[in-house]
Amino acid sequence: MTTVIETTRFSVLDRSRTREGHSGPDALRDTVALAQDLERLGYHRFWVSEHHGVPGVAGSAPTVLAAAVAAATRKLRVGTGGVMLPNHQPLVVAEQFGVLESLFPGRIDMGLGRSVGFTDGVRRALGRDKDVADDFAGQLDELLAFFTGTSATRAHARPSEGLTVPPFVLAMGEGASIAARAGLPMVIGDLRSREKMLRGIDTYRAEFRPSVWAAEPYVVISGTVAVAGSEPEARRLLIPEAWSMAHSRTHGTFPPLPPAERVASLELTAKEREFYEAGLRGHIAGTEQQVADELETVIKESGAQEVLVTTSTYDREGLLESYRRLARIARLTPA
């Protein structure tokens, strides 16, 4: 009997996290190599992210990195998770995706978020204020109008006009309503905040208005998934990111990912320990059977059509093995 997991698409967002002892350029090359591996395993799409001025993340130019990933793969859908629209002029974003779609027709996704620069210094460098995100819905409408040739500016995006690049909204806060009113597919997370995620999905479906981009709601749920031969092995994959997040919450800096073994030897303050333990909870992690059971539950609860896995860790071979095991669970078809 076919399970709900087998009828669900599985995709990956790689944040190009830097690792101790490895450079930013190494992280970007790791991202491209991972995309090639995941294409062979049968994953549906591969997305990259946008961060500015963050020491632990090398991915600052997602459309450039997406071009490298698309050039290194053959059939895998490639996109952004996402371009942070408030950081950019909609015309420029439309042009960039028009170029990508022209070079790699039928393979490009346009994932869009509403976050602005991480710090005051980055926002000043970008020429943006915090409140620019308040007009995300308007920026989204302006961007999409460049593809349909209906921009109120009367400017024309070349070569984008007339091309179809599937847009997705990364739903944070009111993002579910914005995606619904625009009639766009929605990406929502994270899996640790299950009740909040399900409320957002309910809002999205209730308010969805069909558009030229989507006739009906399309839900992508996102979060960390780690699969290994045992629970302790799966937990080991979670440790570097949990420690890095705990460090950022207590020290104000976001460091490269350390090996799990080094984290185990560290003396943590009570506050660091609190954030670290919280960072380890709520993810989908364990053996193949444990992960299959939990995925089956969350997919049924959410009615999602797709799962976007966002796992980051120091051990790249361990990460790839996790994706191999997940591909087996989902019965993906190898390329």
Side-chain angles (χ1 to χ4, degrees), residues 112-286:
L112 304 162
R114 65 189 298 268
S115 296
V116 290
F118 189 64
T119 65
D120 288 339
V122 168
R123 286 190 290 272
R124 284 195 299 272
L126 290 169
R128 296 292 188 268
D129 295 318
K130 277 185 178 180
D131 58 4
V132 71
D134 295 340
D135 190 34
F136 177 64
Q139 296 159 356
L140 186 61
D141 289 341
E142 184 179 350
L143 169 63
L144 298 180
F146 283 120
F147 286 93
T148 56
T150 57
S151 172
T153 66
R154 298 187 180 179
H156 296 273
R158 310 292 187 198
S160 316
E161 192 170 303
L163 297 180
T164 300
V165 182
F168 295 74
V169 171
L170 276 60
M172 300 289 288
E174 63 178 308
S177 292
I178 293 173
R181 290 194 294 268
L184 299 180
M186 177 185 69
V187 182
I188 189 166
D190 72 41
L191 294 170
R192 292 184 299 171
S193 305
R194 199 72 54 88
E195 290 185 8
K196 181 179 179 182
M197 182 185 77
L198 294 176
R199 287 197 302 271
I201 292 171
D202 288 343
T203 297
Y204 170 68
R205 290 200 175 105
E207 298 180 6
F208 185 85
R209 298 193 303 221
S211 72
V212 297
W213 303 101
E216 56 189 29
Y218 188 89
V219 174
V220 183
I221 55 175
S222 69
T224 294
V225 179
V227 198
S230 67
E231 283 189 77
E233 290 176 59
R235 178 185 171 90
R236 175 179 170 275
L237 294 176
L238 305 178
I239 287 172
E241 182 77 5
W243 178 85
S244 185
M245 291 298 295
H247 189 277
S248 71
R249 296 288 298 274
T250 53
H251 295 79
T253 60
F254 200 60
L257 298 175
E261 293 72 20
R262 192 173 80 74
V263 175
S265 69
L266 295 175
E267 292 287 338
L268 303 182
T269 66
K271 183 58 69 175
E272 286 172 332
R273 176 69 61 182
E274 178 184 339
F275 284 127
Y276 170 65
E277 293 293 346
L280 291 172
R281 291 194 294 268
H283 304 292
I284 296 180

Side-chain angles (χ1 to χ4, degrees), residues 312-329:
S312 296
T313 192
Y314 178 89
D315 180 359
R316 298 298 292 188
E317 181 52 44
L319 179 64
L320 180 56
E321 177 60 20
S322 176
Y323 283 129
R324 288 192 192 106
R325 291 175 179 273
L326 181 57
R328 284 201 294 268
I329 292 169

